[in-house]
Amino acid sequence: DQPAAAQALRPAVAELAARARAHLHEARRYRRSVPRRALAALLPAPLLDAYLRRLARARFDPLGAVRTRPGGSAPLRLLGHYALRRY
């Protein structure tokens, strides 16, 4: 039964999301010391923030209708984050 499986997975998905958010927070503490040439590897972080918010709104249902692709404005947002050296 798919709904029962999704319900059973929610605590694990919530834990993974919490760990991802904690790792992002920790990585951002070192923002000033990241070399510019390494910044590109960290640029997907703002997209992950948005995904984690959508996942939380879906109550961490891994089979729910959580959009996994970034929106059409994602490239411009990433360019802005790169210019500001933010991730």
Side-chain angles (χ1 to χ4, degrees), residues 1-12 60-64:
D1 184 43
Q2 209 172 43
Q7 189 69 17
L9 288 173
R10 283 182 181 187
F60 302 103
D61 180 359
L63 304 177

Side-chain angles (χ1 to χ4, degrees), residues 26-51:
E26 182 69 17
R28 286 176 173 145
R29 289 183 50 214
Y30 299 100
R31 179 180 317 172
R32 303 219 191 298
S33 63
V34 173
R36 191 162 194 77
R37 66 185 177 278
L39 189 57
L42 299 167
L43 279 181
L47 301 179
L48 179 59
D49 279 327
Y51 177 75

